[in-house]
Amino acid sequence: MYIRGPLILLSLLLLVPCVRAQLITNTEARKTISLNGQWQVIIDPYESGFYNYRYQPSDNGYFKNAKPKNKSELIEYDFDKSETLKVPGDWNTQSDQLFFYEGTVWYKKSFDYQRKPNTRLFVYFGGANYFADVYLNGEKLGQHEGGFTPFNFEITNRVKDTDNFLIVKVDNKRRRDAVPTLMTDWWNYGGITREVKLIETPATFVNDYVVQLQKGSRDRVTGWVKLNGERLNQKIHVRIPEAGISRLFTTNASGTAMIEFTADLKLWSPENPKLYDVFIEAETDQVREQIGFRSLETRGTDILLNGQPIFLRGVCIHEEAPLRGGRAYSREDAVTLLSWAKELGANFVRLAHYPHNEFMVREADRMGIMVWSEIPVYWTIEWENPNTLKNARNQLQEVIARDKNRAAVVIWSVANETPLSDARLTFLKDLIAYARQLDPTRLLSAAMERHYENPTTQMIDDPLGEFLDVLGCNEYVGWYDGLPEKADGLEWKSKYQKPLVMSEFGGDALFGHHGDPLTRWTEEYQENIYQHQISMLKKISFLRGTSPWILTDFRSPRRPLPGIQDYWNRKGLISDRGEKKKAFYVLQSWYKELREKP
Ligand code: GCU
């Protein structure tokens, strides 16, 4: 948790109690007013809109949106004369000035709103990278840390009929104690990167719910519904008309109704991504949700979907907008990326290394693509820092809150390539236990460490494996580790009787750059890697999935090689212009073979 000087905290607690509300689930089912579009912005590298010259938080910062009342008054900023940026959208790809920018940008959006009786109002952010301070009409609503999960604030008693001004200070500065920490291999796109909307609800509304099959069951539905408001004691009707389900439940004093019933349902699978309309009806509110029902479990080294062993034919995806670059945010972006994965023959995607926008998981639900969802506990996190753990737990809680009703999401991943240590193990065990508490129905994994037991044997005995359901391992045999053919002689061993997903492998190639199979950066070299990888992977008896690195080229500040990388990681099977490289077809034909194998 980013402690900004006791002074702020004190003033915040004393002056304006934070109105960060419980996350509203399923905003698609709500009456909403979009605040997307052009927002006025002030680029503030020295945070002079927040701190005074003594570097103390100012009560009179840019969040006041002050205007000179007379010719002599000194005001040194003016949102209404400032440039604009599009929301949703990262600032880096909207202005050359901001391409490498890491710091603070202030956003302002004005709006009118006709208040209605017995109605509450929330402002909802799909995501803002990295740290957001949010104000309405000059008053602090609260703050949010983490660039990839949603948050909302209640503004019922703060909104006016006209001339409301919503101001957000977004700071994407990297910090050692943050999640992710200082070093990553993706572009630190800053800004209000996902949609912003006003959400209207009844005075007492259905705030949150989960309706899923019990772990390992194919007909026992369990879950709960949580009301928010004064009338907490209500009857709750859960209906699934298509399955002839209509059940009545009652909330307890805290507004929660536990749900349990048996149902004969068509189960969700990649081959048949069946979604049911589920109606949750309270006396004061009702929501409609589209939910798929499927059971998930492991048995030895098998992963079972609806009781059947499956192989996860996957690919990794970064949230890089297809064809235009920048942070992806729309349904169209999601459909394009997932359609390319489908074209590859994938039934699974690893959304790396952070929660992607909600359109990705909802389209995966519709398209029948299983999802590995991950929080950015990446490389060398500050394991011993309790605030870092709290932050990671919070991001985990928020992504599970948002996506817990998505049948497509099958794996929660708590880490990527984190170095062995006791502090790391303690940290990750805490996250795993927390995830199981929040959601006992899904599988837990991580991209763990592995090592050479001898020159031709890779051993998976990372102590983390004991606490996971599915083992994940990244390896770059043929790129960072030797030449492509090195994979031929490699054997894989594991200390655990658990399924393995090879969560990364591959190499860089610039589309259209050709040469012999041993010339780096050529499509032929990448193709060569995939050919040798596939023959190695086929020999691993406990392998139950693969997600090579990566579907498309993506921007990274760690990749400057001129004429080849130019700040793009070129390990994509598809270029940043949507062009398929030779390796794409090598993987496509293996996945076809797997699909057709009985
Ligand atoms: C790592 C890492 C990725 C990175 C990739 C690469 O394994 O997990 O985030 O982009 O390797 O080096 O290309």
Side-chain angles (χ1 to χ4, degrees):
M1 188 59 68
Y2 185 18
I3 310 277
R4 274 218 198 105
L7 196 60
I8 282 192
L9 219 54
L10 191 63
S11 66
L12 276 175
L13 290 173
L14 289 173
L15 287 174
V16 185
C18 175
V19 287
R20 181 108 145 254
Q22 185 182 344
L23 193 65
I24 296 177
T25 302
N26 186 12
T27 59
E28 289 196 354
R30 292 267 162 222
K31 182 157 179 339
T32 61
I33 299 159
S34 172
L35 292 180
N36 293 347
Q38 295 297 326
W39 289 49
Q40 278 106 2
V41 296
I42 300 176
I43 301 158
D44 185 13
Y46 282 45
E47 299 181 274
S48 40
F50 189 87
Y51 295 105
N52 62 23
Y53 78 112
R54 291 278 180 252
Y55 203 63
Q56 297 154 331
S58 150
D59 294 342
N60 205 14
Y62 292 173
F63 49 84
K64 289 292 181 192
N65 190 28
K67 301 284 178 193
K69 292 185 204 54
N70 55 56
K71 65 181 179 185
S72 313
E73 191 180 2
L74 172 60
I75 304 281
E76 295 187 278
Y77 67 93
D78 185 340
F79 277 105
D80 298 325
K81 292 204 179 87
S82 299
E83 57 190 296
T84 63
L85 283 175
K86 189 174 148 319
V87 168
D90 60 275
W91 60 59
N92 311 73
T93 56
Q94 292 191 58
S95 135
D96 293 348
Q97 266 184 319
L98 298 174
F99 186 61
F100 286 103
Y101 182 64
E102 296 185 297
T104 282
V105 172
W106 293 85
Y107 287 77
K108 183 197 70 106
K109 186 75 173 177
S110 297
F111 65 93
D112 299 340
Y113 175 74
Q114 194 50 54
R115 283 177 293 179
K116 304 175 186 73
N118 296 324
T119 298
R120 294 166 66 187
L121 191 67
F122 298 79
V123 58
Y124 177 96
F125 294 83
N129 191 47
Y130 173 76
F131 200 102
D133 292 280
V134 184
Y135 307 81
L136 182 69
N137 300 335
E139 298 300 329
K140 182 112 189 201
L141 293 179
Q143 54 202 38
H144 181 264
E145 178 161 7
F148 306 101
T149 46
F151 52 100
N152 48 233
F153 302 97
E154 176 152 17
I155 58 173
T156 309
N157 304 325
R158 294 159 180 265
V159 72
K160 303 180 295 180
D161 289 343
T162 58
D163 303 327
N164 295 284
F165 52 93
L166 180 64
I167 290 184
V168 187
K169 173 186 186 296
V170 182
D171 181 358
N172 76 333
K173 272 198 299 299
R174 287 167 294 124
R175 298 194 331 269
R176 181 74 193 85
D177 66 330
V179 179
T181 183
L182 291 170
M183 180 68 85
T184 71
D185 189 29
W186 67 81
W187 207 268
N188 183 24
Y189 290 122
I192 304 179
T193 49
R194 295 181 184 159
E195 58 176 350
V196 185
K197 50 191 169 186
L198 299 176
I199 301 179
E200 276 182 5
T201 72
T204 300
F205 69 100
V206 176
N207 192 155
D208 198 4
Y209 51 84
V210 63
V211 186
Q212 287 278 289
L213 282 177
Q214 205 165 43
K215 186 148 189 175
S217 166
R218 288 190 284 287
D219 61 359
R220 196 81 193 133
V221 175
T222 61
W224 44 264
V225 174
K226 177 129 189 43
L227 297 178
N228 179 330
E230 265 135 39
R231 281 195 52 196
L232 292 179
N233 203 247
Q234 296 192 20
K235 293 254 170 299
I236 303 287
H237 214 159
V238 176
R239 292 189 305 110
I240 312 178
E242 207 187 329
I245 299 289
S246 172
R247 294 282 188 287
L248 210 54
F249 303 92
T250 308
T251 54
N252 60 20
S254 68
T256 303
M258 303 311 292
I259 293 175
E260 189 148 358
F261 56 88
T262 301
D264 176 17
L265 297 159
K266 291 193 189 66
L267 299 181
W268 182 98
S269 70
E271 293 71 32
N272 179 24
K274 172 67 187 164
L275 299 177
Y276 283 91
D277 281 334
V278 177
F279 295 87
I280 295 171
E281 296 158 340
E283 292 154 35
T284 56
D285 185 25
Q286 68 154 26
V287 287
R288 182 179 80 89
E289 172 68 288
Q290 288 225 301
I291 297 182
F293 296 90
R294 49 99 190 93
S295 87
L296 263 182
E297 56 203 308
T298 58
R299 190 180 53 207
T301 58
D302 281 338
I303 300 173
L304 307 181
L305 177 71
N306 302 331
Q308 299 304 316
I310 52 165
F311 189 93
L312 305 177
R313 303 185 310 270
V315 68
C316 290
I317 301 182
H318 252 305
E319 198 181 36
E320 186 87 45
L323 307 175
R324 69 176 190 278
R327 201 39 93 211
Y329 57 76
S330 67
R331 192 184 301 282
E332 296 66 38
D333 291 338
V335 171
T336 302
L337 291 167
L338 294 174
S339 303
W340 282 339
K342 275 244 166 186
E343 213 182 315
L344 198 53
N347 61 6
F348 171 68
V349 290
R350 176 185 176 206
L351 301 183
H353 292 288
Y354 38 76
H356 288 211
N357 63 76
E358 192 172 353
F359 293 118
M360 270 308 253
V361 286
R362 283 191 177 269
E363 287 311 315
D365 242 11
R366 270 186 266 276
M367 294 167 77
I369 298 181
M370 292 174 282
V371 168
W372 161 308
S373 172
E374 187 162 301
I375 55 170
V377 175
Y378 182 93
W379 290 348
T380 50
I381 292 286
E382 216 169 54
W383 307 112
E384 274 121 8
N385 184 330
N387 293 315
T388 303
L389 177 60
K390 211 166 162 193
N391 178 356
R393 284 170 66 98
N394 182 52
Q395 297 189 35
L396 190 59
Q397 186 272 328
E398 289 176 348
V399 67
I400 294 179
R402 188 195 72 184
D403 297 342
K404 59 187 176 300
N405 287 302
R406 303 281 74 75
V409 179
V410 291
I411 292 176
W412 302 119
S413 167
V414 294
N416 179 72
E417 291 186 357
T418 51
L420 302 187
S421 76
D422 294 346
R424 168 254 198 187
L425 188 60
T426 309
F427 189 108
L428 296 179
K429 277 168 62 179
D430 179 290
L431 289 179
I432 292 165
Y434 188 44
R436 292 193 193 286
Q437 179 200 325
L438 294 170
D439 173 20
T441 68
R442 288 181 176 81
L443 306 175
L444 267 290
S445 190
M448 305 158 25
E449 297 301 283
R450 61 195 156 71
H451 61 96
Y452 277 98
E453 194 179 55
N454 61 51
T456 58
T457 307
Q458 283 271 354
M459 170 52 95
I460 304 172
D461 57 6
D462 180 335
L464 186 60
E466 193 186 327
F467 307 96
L468 299 174
D469 303 303
V470 173
L471 311 174
C473 263
N474 301 350
E475 51 88 8
Y476 282 92
V477 177
W479 186 255
Y480 298 124
D481 174 7
L483 295 175
E485 55 274 8
K486 178 175 178 179
D488 302 348
L490 268 189
E491 188 204 353
W492 285 78
K493 286 169 65 176
S494 166
K495 176 180 167 193
Y496 307 101
Q497 261 304 317
K498 295 184 179 184
L500 169 68
V501 170
M502 201 61 89
S503 43
E504 286 183 36
F505 58 91
D508 289 61
L510 176 66
F511 175 80
H513 190 51
H514 294 288
D516 67 68
L518 286 178
T519 300
R520 293 256 173 185
W521 311 109
T522 63
E523 289 192 46
E524 287 73 20
Y525 190 105
Q526 189 189 45
E527 181 185 37
N528 190 7
I529 289 177
Y530 274 76
Q531 286 157 342
H532 287 279
Q533 280 289 320
I534 291 168
S535 61
M536 175 191 77
L537 293 163
K538 282 179 175 175
K539 288 181 275 177
I540 306 176
S541 61
F542 48 93
L543 184 75
R544 294 296 178 275
T546 50
S547 54
W549 193 256
I550 184 164
L551 181 67
T552 69
D553 293 354
F554 62 96
R555 276 209 179 87
S556 166
R558 301 178 68 247
R559 312 293 173 173
L561 186 62
I564 297 276
Q565 295 176 315
D566 296 316
Y567 293 112
W568 289 87
N569 182 311
R570 297 288 184 194
K571 292 191 179 69
L573 293 165
I574 299 175
S575 75
D576 53 302
R577 290 191 299 267
E579 303 139 322
K580 296 185 179 70
K581 304 175 191 176
K582 284 185 164 183
F584 178 97
Y585 302 103
V586 174
L587 188 65
Q588 188 186 49
S589 66
W590 183 38
Y591 281 176
K592 185 166 180 295
E593 192 190 307
L594 284 171
R595 230 186 10 261
E596 287 157 5
K597 203 168 71 178

